[in-house]
Amino acid sequence: IATNGIIKLKDNKIRLYTQKDGLPGSGATDLVVFNNEIWAGFQGGVAKYDAKKDNFSPYLEGEANVSLYVDPVDKKLFASTFKNFFEWNGSGWDKKTGSNLPLDSKQIVFTKDYIASSSFPAYPITVYSRSNKTWEKPEIVEFGTQQGQTLFQANDRVFLYGRSKNYQGCGEDKKE
C-alpha cells in the first residue's frame, strides 16, 4: 500500500496503481485476499483487482473510511465504513441494516461462535452471535494500546486483538 495508491512488485518490476487504474481514492486503508481475489479499502470506497485487465474495479464509491474484513469461519467479506456496514454477495455489496452494527470498525475478531468488533474509542464494542444471528452492544470492559492491541470483555467472553512485534492475531476465551 502506498500513500497515493497501491504498489505491485512482480519480476523485480514496480507498478503503481492510482485512481487512473480504477482506485476510488488515493489513500488505501486495507488490503485483503478473499476467494483468491485482491481487495483494497480506501478513504473513498473499495476496489477489486482484475488480473486480466491489470487494473481495479471500484465499489462503494463515496463511502468514507473503509475497513475490510474476511470472516474465515463463514467465508464472507465485510466492509465497515464510517456510517455503514456491507457484506459481499459475490456480485455486489449488500448494505446491512439494523441496530448495533459495527460501524467504523478498527478491529474485528472472528471465532466459531462470535464476531466481535471494536472501534475504540469512537463507537462501542459490538458482538455478533452466529447462533442468534444478531448484533449486540454488551456491557464491556475494554483496554487498548497505542500499538493497536485491544483486550475487551463482552458478556461471558474475553477477546484479544492486536499487532505488535511480539503478537499478531486475535483470539477469544471464556471469562473465568
Side-chain angles (χ1 to χ4, degrees):
I1 296 177
T3 57
N4 57 344
I6 294 178
I7 295 172
K8 176 174 90 173
L9 175 62
K10 183 177 179 181
D11 300 325
N12 290 323
K13 294 179 184 172
I14 295 175
R15 163 94 196 271
L16 174 65
Y17 297 89
T18 65
Q19 288 177 284
K20 294 178 204 170
D21 302 298
L23 300 182
S26 59
T29 56
D30 270 320
L31 198 58
V32 300
V33 175
F34 177 71
N35 288 343
N36 294 318
E37 297 175 317
I38 297 171
W39 290 85
F42 289 85
Q43 292 297 332
V46 174
K48 180 172 77 166
Y49 179 67
D50 184 332
K52 290 179 184 174
K53 295 180 182 177
D54 195 29
N55 66 10
F56 285 82
S57 299
Y59 295 89
L60 302 178
E61 291 180 279
E63 287 290 336
N65 203 26
V66 177
S67 295
L68 297 173
Y69 299 97
V70 176
D71 179 350
V73 177
D74 287 339
K75 310 290 189 258
K76 294 181 178 181
L77 177 63
F78 296 102
S80 175
T81 74
F82 188 66
K83 293 185 178 182
N84 296 300
F85 190 69
F86 299 90
E87 180 182 332
W88 178 249
N89 65 23
S91 61
W93 290 93
D94 293 330
K95 183 177 177 181
K96 297 301 187 179
T97 59
S99 58
N100 303 323
L101 293 172
L103 304 179
D104 199 27
S105 291
K106 301 301 175 217
Q107 294 129 359
I108 292 187
V109 177
F110 296 95
T111 70
K112 70 179 185 66
D113 297 318
Y114 297 96
I115 301 172
S117 165
S118 170
S119 335
F120 183 80
Y123 292 96
I125 300 293
T126 55
V127 175
Y128 179 79
S129 168
R130 293 183 194 275
S131 60
N132 296 338
K133 298 188 181 341
T134 57
W135 286 98
E136 302 170 358
K137 287 189 180 169
E139 294 295 319
I140 60 104
V141 177
E142 179 175 15
F143 299 92
T145 69
Q146 290 180 331
Q147 289 75 32
Q149 293 174 309
T150 304
L151 176 67
F152 56 93
Q153 172 186 322
N155 296 335
D156 65 338
R157 300 280 191 214
V158 176
F159 298 93
L160 172 67
Y161 177 92
R163 290 184 199 142
S164 73
K165 65 180 181 181
N166 298 324
Y167 176 81
Q168 182 170 359
C170 60
E172 167 201 14
D173 200 359
K174 276 195 161 193
K175 185 175 106 180
E176 297 295 328

